[in-house]
Amino acid sequence: MENTLNDALSLATDPPVVQQRPMLAMSGIAKWFGANQVLKGVSLTVAKGEAVVVIGPSGSGKTTLLRCINLLEDYEDGIVAVDGEPIGYFVDARGKRQRMGERDLAAAREHVGIVFQSYNLFPHMTVLQNIVAAPIRVRGIPRAKAEARARDLLAMVGLTDKEQAYPVRLSGGQQQRVAIARALAMDPKIMLFDEVTSALDPELVGEVLAAMQQLARDGMTMIVVTHEMSFARDVADRVVFMDGGLIVEEGKPEQMFTAPRTDRVRQFLKRYNDRYRL
Amino acid sequence: MPFDLNFLIRLIPALLEGAEVTVELAVLTMLICVVWGLVVALAQATPGPLSWIAGGYIQVVRNTPLLVQMYLVYFGLSMIGMGLSGFASGLLALCIQNGGYMAEIYRGGLQSISLRQYEAGRALGMRRWTLYTSVIMPQVVARVIPPLTNQAISITKDTAQVAAIAVMDIMKVAQVWVESSANTYDVFLGAGLIYLCLTTVISLGGRIAERRLAFAS
């Protein structure tokens, strides 16, 4: 298993951490929807193998921030790099910020897996076809090899018997696990999860979270936007709290959930606990 | 007078000869317009001057009668020394008009695909060509089969208008036989039945295609 930056920092007996290139570096991301600024210069760095969970009230900008990483959402200022390589915008030789061309953007996006709230599987393809489509058509992997890998991934998410099914025949939880396998099939360097359990029936949430937890345990670098506080507490290496288009507080989950430093987080967690206390 | 067996025995082969021309026109128009309509629809969906040109084209060809377009092609082109045969003029006019209709059908199909499908493809690193050929168009095609079938039926019936520019299709053969025999009823009944057979085949073909391409059932 990968040693995460946080693991290393938390063990005083470890040798000094070797400063390594972050897997994700976002700096000064600013975005407006018309006159409304939804991201106010957000910077976020994620180390290789780190699982970062982003929480915060609706409209705080967390989903928008996630979608800016692979430019599904355009933004007016700031720069993103994945594993040191720019994605979306780059700074040219004269120091001017430029939007990537279609070819470069597509190539950069291959390294970023994203799972959506609404699954977004391709309805005209079987489960297996959904998973192998991009590896074959985008990366040029031979079909047999892509299918073998797809079957491994389906086994990992517990859907071995569904490879010939069409998405419409699957439950929401099953579709979401296929979506996870589809993203993983591109061997991304980082995985983004955008409120992936919000559209699911409560009894299907667990199976999806379990697959994500397994991924985190396997050392996948991931950013998870979620309202599932228990997932944040149990799986996150670091929790980021956003509000009003800014990161208000970040820290280790045990600190954030037991002793938040800001009133805003305390208030948010109290409201959450009041609502979900049994 | 009606149902004169000897008359029918002579009439039917003549109408079938006309049917050959009708089928050729209809099939060629469909094949060309399936592609041409898509080109127009994609041009219209591309922001910029191409979109206005495509939009203007659709407006003009949909809002003028086919017969007017046919006369313009047949007589107009010959006036500027580029005269086409009746068959070629009829085919061209049919394609010009139905290309507009087909473009509208494709536009509806394209608009019915959720933007999330585009996002999902792009997020996987697909470029435009891959996105359209493997994600978007297969879904569009499945959705436009019913309206395309309708259009194919409409095209088949519209081919009858080429009779006006002296193309020997079913309709023109029927008109000639009516003039020489004065047996209006039998001749047009026979012509109508042949059109009905042709359009029935198209309907059945459309049903089969629909069933083959259904993935969400």
mmCIF file of all heavy atoms in Angstrom, chain A residues 38 90-91 132 141 177 215 226 259 278:
data_model
loop_
_atom_site.group_PDB
_atom_site.id
_atom_site.type_symbol
_atom_site.label_atom_id
_atom_site.label_comp_id
_atom_site.label_asym_id
_atom_site.label_seq_id
_atom_site.Cartn_x
_atom_site.Cartn_y
_atom_site.Cartn_z
ATOM 1 N N VAL A 38 -18.809 31.979 -7.928
ATOM 2 C CA VAL A 38 -19.049 30.735 -7.195
ATOM 3 C C VAL A 38 -17.755 30.120 -6.664
ATOM 4 O O VAL A 38 -17.795 29.333 -5.727
ATOM 5 C CB VAL A 38 -19.812 29.706 -8.060
ATOM 6 C CG1 VAL A 38 -21.240 30.173 -8.283
ATOM 7 C CG2 VAL A 38 -19.113 29.452 -9.371
ATOM 8 N N PHE A 90 -3.152 26.302 -19.580
ATOM 9 C CA PHE A 90 -1.717 26.275 -19.350
ATOM 10 C C PHE A 90 -1.185 27.696 -19.508
ATOM 11 O O PHE A 90 -1.870 28.565 -20.051
ATOM 12 C CB PHE A 90 -1.022 25.319 -20.320
ATOM 13 C CG PHE A 90 -1.127 25.724 -21.768
ATOM 14 C CD1 PHE A 90 -0.084 26.395 -22.386
ATOM 15 C CD2 PHE A 90 -2.273 25.448 -22.502
ATOM 16 C CE1 PHE A 90 -0.187 26.779 -23.727
ATOM 17 C CE2 PHE A 90 -2.385 25.834 -23.835
ATOM 18 C CZ PHE A 90 -1.341 26.500 -24.442
ATOM 19 N N VAL A 91 0.004 27.913 -19.004
ATOM 20 C CA VAL A 91 0.621 29.229 -19.125
ATOM 21 C C VAL A 91 1.657 29.154 -20.235
ATOM 22 O O VAL A 91 2.553 28.313 -20.208
ATOM 23 C CB VAL A 91 1.274 29.650 -17.791
ATOM 24 C CG1 VAL A 91 1.957 31.004 -17.944
ATOM 25 C CG2 VAL A 91 0.231 29.699 -16.683
ATOM 26 N N VAL A 132 -15.289 -0.921 -21.782
ATOM 27 C CA VAL A 132 -14.174 -1.048 -22.735
ATOM 28 C C VAL A 132 -14.176 0.037 -23.807
ATOM 29 O O VAL A 132 -13.184 0.192 -24.533
ATOM 30 C CB VAL A 132 -14.127 -2.437 -23.414
ATOM 31 C CG1 VAL A 132 -13.978 -3.540 -22.376
ATOM 32 C CG2 VAL A 132 -15.338 -2.673 -24.305
ATOM 33 N N ILE A 141 -6.287 0.201 -26.855
ATOM 34 C CA ILE A 141 -5.976 -1.092 -26.242
ATOM 35 C C ILE A 141 -6.722 -2.198 -26.999
ATOM 36 O O ILE A 141 -7.889 -2.022 -27.341
ATOM 37 C CB ILE A 141 -6.374 -1.073 -24.747
ATOM 38 C CG1 ILE A 141 -5.453 -0.113 -23.990
ATOM 39 C CG2 ILE A 141 -6.335 -2.469 -24.137
ATOM 40 C CD1 ILE A 141 -5.861 0.159 -22.567
ATOM 41 N N ARG A 177 -21.761 1.520 -9.636
ATOM 42 C CA ARG A 177 -20.540 0.704 -9.551
ATOM 43 C C ARG A 177 -19.964 0.447 -10.939
ATOM 44 O O ARG A 177 -18.743 0.389 -11.116
ATOM 45 C CB ARG A 177 -20.837 -0.600 -8.810
ATOM 46 C CG ARG A 177 -20.966 -0.367 -7.290
ATOM 47 C CD ARG A 177 -21.201 -1.656 -6.539
ATOM 48 N NE ARG A 177 -22.584 -2.118 -6.668
ATOM 49 C CZ ARG A 177 -22.950 -3.384 -6.574
ATOM 50 N NH1 ARG A 177 -22.048 -4.330 -6.359
ATOM 51 N NH2 ARG A 177 -24.224 -3.720 -6.683
ATOM 52 N N LEU A 215 -11.122 1.253 -2.973
ATOM 53 C CA LEU A 215 -10.214 2.013 -3.833
ATOM 54 C C LEU A 215 -9.239 2.840 -3.011
ATOM 55 O O LEU A 215 -8.043 2.885 -3.297
ATOM 56 C CB LEU A 215 -11.020 2.978 -4.698
ATOM 57 C CG LEU A 215 -11.358 2.595 -6.121
ATOM 58 C CD1 LEU A 215 -12.044 3.774 -6.786
ATOM 59 C CD2 LEU A 215 -10.100 2.207 -6.873
ATOM 60 N N THR A 226 -19.177 14.814 -1.069
ATOM 61 C CA THR A 226 -20.249 13.976 -0.534
ATOM 62 C C THR A 226 -20.954 14.635 0.643
ATOM 63 O O THR A 226 -20.446 15.588 1.250
ATOM 64 C CB THR A 226 -19.704 12.601 -0.093
ATOM 65 O OG1 THR A 226 -20.793 11.756 0.254
ATOM 66 C CG2 THR A 226 -18.767 12.728 1.094
ATOM 67 N N ALA A 259 -13.199 18.503 16.831
ATOM 68 C CA ALA A 259 -12.798 19.826 17.317
ATOM 69 C C ALA A 259 -12.573 20.791 16.163
ATOM 70 O O ALA A 259 -11.449 21.223 15.896
ATOM 71 C CB ALA A 259 -11.502 19.698 18.146
ATOM 72 N N LEU A 278 -30.186 9.435 15.548
ATOM 73 C CA LEU A 278 -31.287 8.466 15.623
ATOM 74 C C LEU A 278 -31.886 8.435 17.020
ATOM 75 O O LEU A 278 -31.198 8.663 17.999
ATOM 76 C CB LEU A 278 -30.777 7.074 15.254
ATOM 77 C CG LEU A 278 -30.355 6.934 13.796
ATOM 78 C CD1 LEU A 278 -29.738 5.554 13.543
ATOM 79 C CD2 LEU A 278 -31.539 7.141 12.871
#
